Amino acid sequence: MIYLDHSATTKPDSAVMQTFIQANERYYANPASLHQMGTEANTLLMKAREQIAQILKTEPEHIIFTSGGTESNNFAIKGFARANQHRGKHILISAIEHPSVIESARHLTNEGFELEFIDVDKNGSVKLSDLQSKIRKDTVLVSIMHVNNEMGAIQPILEMAKIIRSNSRAFFHVDAVQSFGKLPVQFQGDNGPDALTISGHKINGLKGTGLLAFSKRIKIQPIQHGGGQELGYRSGTVAVPQNVALAKAMRLAVEQMAENTPKFEKWREDLHAFFNKFYHVHVISNNGGAPHIISCSVRGLKGEVVVNALQSEGFIVSTSSACSSKDSSISHVIEALQIEESFEKGVIRISLGNGLTNSDIEQFKVVFAKMMKQLKGETIQL
Amino acid sequence: MKEIYLDHAATSPMHPEVIEKMTELMGSVYGNASSIHSIGRHARKYLDDAKMVLAQSIGAKDQEIIMTSGGSEADNLAIFGTAYARRNEGRHIITSQIEHHAVLHTCERLEKQGFKVTYLPVNAQGVVSVQDVQQALTDDTILVTIMYGNNEVGSIQPIKEIGSLLKKHKATFHTDAVQAYGIEKFDVEDLQVDLLSVSAHKLNGPKGIGFLYQRENTPLQSTLLGGEQERKRRAGTENIPAICAFAEAVRIAQANFEVKQQEFVSFQELFLNTLDQAKISYHVNGDRANTLPHVLNISFTGMDVESFLVNLDMAGIAASSGSACTAGLIDPSHVLVAMYGKGAPELRNSIRFSFGFGLSLEDVQVAADKTVEIVERLAK
């Protein structure tokens, strides 16, 4: 099986697993414990925090470990909005956010917040003019994903930050789950986001790991209460081995970027050109997007049918996103892009990651072409 | 010097077979269980099988298990989830003064939002009275949350009796069984609880994983929102290697229930006999007749907990003043305050020793001997 679904989840790197195993053997104590073993575990945890802070260009005390991207997004949105409602109760997010952002923001409307969506263009890019017209003095929170998980669009974070800063006192949260390790992700003081969400399992780290990072000290209300771990922001016994493994995965991801990015970009451009040859295929992603996500649709077919056909030939791709792929209706992202109706249901996503070779991509093209011939009767010159 | 870890109630080392299982699955079952392709479906099967093991361990159905990131999240979900789902039926919650902070602080949060919370007292043995629960119940009560076994002193609460009392009341019954799971055998039908929290890292499973049992049709509002995982009750990509490792830890615990319990009882006896032989003046905090066997909380007459712990630590013994979650600062334990009142000597002279996997009688003997030495030295 050739795995082309790295945006859904990835296999942990063997070095990350090794780190995890070693940390478990020696540093299993509770880092909140006062004894030597607890102190040692805490020192290791602090080291992981420092390494991550360096990567993201912030301070160690601004890194809050969580159970993953979903928790980080829930925490950022509910936690910040609730703690700062005196500033205003208006929230802006894009129409193509991850469900964990959309559902959290929607939930806040039950608490008296007002939610508006910023439109995207047909490339999936947030319309800056729409942000400009919707941002208000009482906007308390803007949350935008850096890279869209279903079709790879990269959002203009710095331009957005400028508009947000000059028109409001809003907090700017960026869900960087799909971009970290694929694009440079760092804080830039006041010129960039105030908070970033990162998940371990999308970058060859472990499932159940993630973080929310801040550029500076901010006021945020915990969503999980108890022992007051993580500087009081997130209660629950801190999983030291997991967090050390997250620091390792993040370091590796950043190191591997130099090698991966040109490779992924070449494959992406190649696949875009390949898909464009088919009359019955509509290419949704574009060469301006993230290097690892390619999305297209086959006319008149269901995504599941395409996924199964490719799988029977040994290639694993997904329908739009794993989180919503059990839902047979059309994804909210595809809906926001307003693509032609005959292409709405046949969307597949190919997402690249570690371990792939040129020949895997060549093989994929052969298999896809064969499928197109069988299912749509369309043949192209390979 | 070999360290002797007597803080298993704070957290426990992973069992070698559990970590082997977990790392094996990280490599072989890495798919996203929500994916429709074969790698996703393969992962889903592992998830379903593991949840079956977890469900069966407490006499539940697999669809009644909601995986969480641990005990704290399970407690938060149980309490916030019930309060928000049932706020139109009432605003009163009953809990006890000796609960874990994940319960207490969540209840305090709800008080700020207009809920009324009764914090029941306990007796000197650290046990809640069923009668107190009965008296505190009103038509407005929507939730009763009482822990199964206390994490600091080990006292086991009358859960079954409270469960049967609440059968005639509309209130949801939650128990935090984090400290008891894997040590005590229990069944949700027998206890008649509606919600029950557990955590893996207390029973030699991985950190960062736990579950909330939710009896069918028990109202619960989700706290983590997003994807439709866990039957729309808890969003977030399923942590399958950890969930399967958790199930493995449970399997091992279940296979060794009796042996382990007897072992811990013999550890307690050995420890206390050693103190008796040395004529150390002490008493055990908690309910000796009905206690979690792995928790031994001792009040040493005339000792000071801080210097005591430092000395134990220097002697290579990792013990605790109480719950690790609050141990960052040695504040007087809220559990001991509830049992003895403010200003009681026990608040300043109690140490929790807790037993678990990997300990031998020899280790416990060494620890007890060193404890005696330290007490004698500090008493001078």
Side-chain angles (χ1 to χ4, degrees):
Chain A
M1 285 287 178
I2 308 296
Y3 188 69
L4 295 173
D5 196 13
H6 289 87
S7 287
T9 190
T10 59
K11 188 169 168 170
D13 190 290
S14 57
V16 172
M17 287 200 267
Q18 210 48 47
T19 300
F20 175 72
I21 295 170
Q22 282 166 358
N24 264 303
E25 272 164 14
R26 183 71 192 85
Y27 301 100
Y28 58 82
N30 193 319
S33 293
L34 285 182
H35 46 64
Q36 176 86 30
M37 290 172 72
T39 317
E40 283 173 11
N42 194 44
T43 305
L44 192 68
L45 178 68
M46 273 161 54
K47 254 194 218 153
R49 219 186 279 282
E50 277 163 24
Q51 285 170 355
I52 292 170
Q54 249 174 21
I55 292 172
L56 297 178
K57 291 226 165 20
T58 185
E59 301 303 320
E61 65 267 28
H62 300 327
I63 307 292
I64 312 298
F65 291 112
T66 68
S67 66
T70 289
E71 185 188 330
S72 296
N73 284 341
N74 273 257
F75 177 30
I77 289 166
K78 295 184 225 165
F80 188 84
R82 285 172 183 159
N84 296 278
Q85 38 189 308
H86 56 278
R87 290 192 190 177
K89 299 191 100 175
H90 181 239
I91 296 170
L92 282 176
I93 66 173
S94 88
I96 60 167
E97 294 305 304
H98 187 267
S100 56
V101 166
I102 297 180
E103 294 308 319
S104 295
R106 205 169 261 157
H107 178 81
L108 288 171
T109 62
N110 301 328
E111 299 176 18
F113 288 86
E114 182 190 345
L115 172 63
E116 273 192 285
F117 292 89
I118 313 168
D119 297 335
V120 296
D121 62 21
K122 63 175 181 14
N123 293 321
S125 284
V126 165
K127 288 183 185 160
L128 292 173
S129 57
D130 200 43
L131 169 64
Q132 179 81 49
S133 73
K134 283 176 178 156
I135 189 118
R136 309 192 313 223
K137 283 248 165 337
D138 67 335
T139 305
V140 64
L141 169 72
V142 181
S143 179
I144 295 292
M145 69 202 325
H146 191 188
V147 162
N148 181 266
N149 55 319
E150 297 192 21
M151 45 73 68
I154 302 173
Q155 302 304 342
I157 299 300
L158 298 183
E159 286 89 330
M160 293 187 71
K162 214 176 278 172
I163 297 172
I164 295 165
R165 302 273 185 263
S166 48
N167 292 283
S168 73
R169 291 165 67 206
F171 177 77
F172 186 24
H173 168 246
V174 169
D175 172 355
V177 166
Q178 286 295 344
S179 64
F180 186 84
K182 310 297 186 306
L183 301 174
V185 175
Q186 284 180 336
F187 285 112
Q188 329 235 351
D190 281 344
N191 300 323
D194 297 305
L196 292 169
T197 289
I198 288 169
S199 161
H201 78 98
K202 308 282 188 190
I203 54 166
N204 302 99
L206 307 183
K207 293 187 176 56
T209 66
L211 59 83
L212 182 68
F214 306 116
S215 67
K216 54 178 185 284
R217 218 182 113 88
I218 61 140
K219 214 174 131 193
I220 189 160
Q221 198 182 92
I223 56 169
Q224 191 162 306
H225 304 265
Q229 290 89 345
E230 295 294 284
L231 306 154
Y233 289 122
R234 199 269 186 186
S235 291
T237 296
V238 182
V240 176
Q242 278 85 339
N243 295 332
V244 173
L246 176 60
K248 178 85 179 177
M250 286 176 71
R251 263 193 4 220
L252 288 175
V254 170
E255 278 169 26
Q256 289 160 355
M257 225 162 70
E259 189 195 324
N260 279 343
T261 304
K263 210 162 63 178
F264 292 173
E265 281 175 348
K266 184 179 141 272
W267 290 337
R268 174 193 60 186
E269 281 159 30
D270 188 28
L271 285 170
H272 280 157
F274 167 73
F275 288 134
N276 270 323
K277 290 182 187 167
F278 293 94
Y279 169 73
H280 287 301
V281 175
H282 172 68
V283 181
I284 296 167
S285 52
N286 60 69
N287 289 341
H292 65 303
I293 298 178
I294 298 115
S295 169
C296 68
S297 177
V298 183
R299 191 193 307 270
L301 290 184
K302 279 191 172 168
E304 288 86 339
V305 173
V306 183
V307 168
N308 286 333
L310 293 171
Q311 180 176 291
S312 65
E313 298 285 340
F315 285 85
I316 300 291
V317 305
S318 78
T319 50
S320 38
S321 104
C323 299
S324 55
S325 58
K326 293 204 95 183
D327 189 349
S328 56
S329 66
I330 300 151
S331 116
H332 65 289
V333 177
I334 300 308
E335 218 159 60
L337 297 176
Q338 298 183 321
I339 67 173
E340 198 189 302
E341 211 187 315
S342 59
F343 286 115
E344 271 183 330
K345 290 188 172 157
V347 180
I348 60 161
R349 176 185 67 185
I350 293 127
S351 47
L352 309 174
N354 288 348
L356 292 170
T357 63
N358 274 323
S359 104
D360 292 336
I361 305 299
E362 288 310 313
Q363 256 328 105
F364 172 78
K365 285 166 28 186
V366 172
V367 162
F368 189 88
K370 183 176 157 201
M371 176 202 79
M372 285 302 287
K373 190 176 170 195
Q374 279 168 355
L375 294 180
K376 301 297 295 183
E378 184 178 5
T379 342
I380 57 146
Q381 202 81 48
L382 265 181
Chain B
M1 181 175 62
K2 186 193 166 198
E3 276 155 330
I4 300 176
Y5 186 71
L6 295 179
D7 202 9
H8 289 261
T11 190
S12 63
M14 276 175 81
H15 192 287
E17 288 168 35
V18 173
I19 189 155
E20 199 186 306
K21 180 92 185 173
M22 185 165 174
T23 42
E24 178 205 316
L25 296 185
M26 280 177 186
S28 62
V29 190
Y30 60 88
N32 189 320
S34 300
S35 298
I36 58 166
H37 50 61
S38 59
I39 292 184
R41 287 202 309 269
H42 178 65
R44 161 76 50 194
K45 173 144 188 0
Y46 275 81
L47 175 65
D48 291 346
D49 289 350
K51 284 180 81 170
M52 193 66 89
V53 171
L54 297 173
Q56 281 170 354
S57 74
I58 56 167
K61 300 178 203 131
D62 56 343
Q63 67 267 29
E64 294 176 317
I65 303 296
I66 307 171
M67 300 309 307
T68 67
S69 67
S72 288
E73 186 189 327
D75 283 342
N76 274 253
L77 173 57
I79 295 166
F80 281 136
T82 302
Y84 297 148
R86 305 194 65 181
R87 67 196 315 163
N88 294 328
E89 295 172 69
R91 296 280 172 113
H92 181 233
I93 294 166
I94 298 171
T95 186
S96 83
Q97 292 170 8
I98 62 161
E99 298 299 308
H100 188 272
H101 281 139
V103 168
L104 290 176
H105 291 332
T106 305
C107 287
E108 285 160 16
R109 189 79 226 153
L110 286 170
E111 278 186 283
K112 290 189 184 147
Q113 297 169 16
F115 287 86
K116 213 176 135 253
V117 182
T118 303
Y119 300 91
L120 295 177
V122 292
N123 63 15
Q125 285 72 47
V127 182
V128 169
S129 122
V130 183
Q131 225 176 354
D132 284 351
V133 177
Q134 181 158 27
Q135 276 166 10
L137 278 173
T138 70
D139 290 345
D140 205 37
T141 310
I142 50 169
L143 172 68
V144 176
T145 169
I146 304 284
M147 72 199 321
Y148 189 101
N150 182 267
N151 52 318
E152 295 192 24
V153 299
S155 54
I156 293 176
Q157 307 303 318
I159 298 304
K160 194 174 165 176
E161 290 77 3
I162 299 171
S164 99
L165 168 73
L166 289 174
K167 235 189 151 182
K168 292 162 262 158
H169 194 282
K170 68 172 181 185
T172 298
F173 183 27
H174 168 245
T175 188
D176 169 356
V178 167
Q179 206 55 248
Y181 188 51
I183 302 279
E184 293 287 315
K185 257 187 197 165
F186 52 76
D187 181 295
V188 290
E189 289 311 317
D190 180 46
L191 297 177
Q192 300 184 51
V193 294
D194 303 307
L195 301 168
L196 179 143
S197 312
V198 308
S199 165
H201 77 97
K202 308 283 189 190
L203 63 138
N204 312 111
K207 293 178 178 55
I209 199 80
F211 71 73
L212 178 69
Y213 157 77
Q214 177 200 17
R215 181 180 294 279
E216 252 175 337
N217 302 322
T218 302
L220 197 70
Q221 190 182 98
S222 302
T223 51
L224 279 192
L225 310 174
E228 300 189 344
Q229 293 91 347
E230 298 292 317
R231 295 170 181 255
K232 302 190 189 183
R233 294 172 300 186
R234 198 275 188 183
T237 298
E238 294 92 342
N239 188 357
I240 292 176
I243 295 168
C244 293
F246 186 8
E248 187 67 21
V250 168
R251 235 184 248 129
I252 294 168
Q254 283 182 314
N256 298 299
F257 260 125
E258 279 78 17
V259 180
K260 217 163 59 173
Q261 287 208 342
Q262 278 168 17
E263 195 181 28
F264 295 158
V265 168
S266 68
F267 288 171
Q268 291 213 8
E269 282 168 0
L270 177 65
F271 203 100
L272 297 178
N273 284 341
T274 307
L275 298 184
D276 289 338
Q277 274 162 21
K279 301 199 163 46
I280 302 291
S281 169
Y282 74 92
H283 68 85
V284 176
N285 297 315
D287 186 2
R288 293 298 290 147
N290 199 11
T291 186
L292 298 175
H294 67 304
V295 176
L296 180 59
N297 194 311
I298 305 175
S299 162
F300 293 92
T301 314
M303 291 292 118
D304 175 73
V305 62
E306 280 179 46
S307 52
F308 201 155
L309 280 176
V310 170
N311 277 278
L312 280 170
D313 198 18
M314 288 189 320
I317 297 161
S320 152
S321 62
S323 138
C325 302
T326 48
L329 273 174
I330 305 191
D331 280 336
S333 141
H334 66 284
V335 177
L336 296 177
V337 170
M339 288 162 62
Y340 299 113
K342 278 179 192 159
E346 285 86 353
L347 274 48
R348 294 293 310 157
N349 67 17
S350 297
I351 306 277
R352 178 186 71 181
F353 301 94
S354 51
F355 310 124
F357 174 76
L359 273 179
S360 65
L361 270 174
E362 289 72 36
D363 293 331
V364 176
Q365 184 65 63
V366 171
D369 289 341
K370 286 187 174 173
T371 303
V372 167
E373 267 173 52
I374 291 166
V375 175
E376 285 172 345
R377 192 166 67 231
L378 291 176
K380 276 179 192 157

